[in-house]
Structures are given as C-alpha cells and as structure tokens.
Amino acid sequence: MNIVWGLIVAMVGALFIRWGHTESDFGLYRLLAARSRILWGDRVHGFYQIAGALMILAGVAIAAMG
C-alpha cells in the first residue's frame, strides 16, 4: 500500500513542478499560489517547483519503504 501512496505523492510533486514552471492558470494552483504569494512574493512559482521536487523525493522514499 505504501507504493501506491508514494506514487500519488510523487505525481502531485510532478504536477507542482509543471504548474510552477508554466505559471499555470488552473484554479487550484492559482488558489495555492495566491496564498503562498503572501510569504514568497514573486518567487512563488520557483517555490512550487522546489516543493514539487521534494515531494517527488518523499514519494520515492515512501514507495521504497513499502
């Protein structure tokens, strides 16, 4: 079961990287970015790219434990 959760976390991380790179207009990303912009300012898209990469690493670690 850990493998499934690890893959889900990694896929969400990949979405974050994609959305951050393209500065997506997808509603959920716009909501998350608007909330994060308070702290990160104009660097919010880079933040989501880094957060996505860390989520991929965490997903791989979760999958490896299963």
Side-chain angles (χ1 to χ4, degrees):
M1 191 65 176
N2 283 345
I3 294 172
V4 173
W5 283 113
L7 290 175
I8 290 171
V9 170
M11 289 183 349
V12 170
L15 273 176
F16 274 22
I17 290 174
R18 173 80 175 157
W19 287 342
H21 181 71
T22 62
E23 299 181 11
S24 178
D25 286 333
F26 185 66
L28 177 61
Y29 179 74
R30 288 178 54 200
L31 178 67
L32 292 171
R35 296 288 307 234
S36 300
R37 193 175 309 275
I38 296 168
L39 181 61
W40 291 98
D42 291 334
R43 298 174 297 173
V44 68
H45 303 295
F47 164 73
Y48 275 105
Q49 291 178 34
I50 293 170
L54 292 175
M55 288 177 72
I56 290 172
L57 292 175
V60 168
I62 291 170
M65 291 189 319

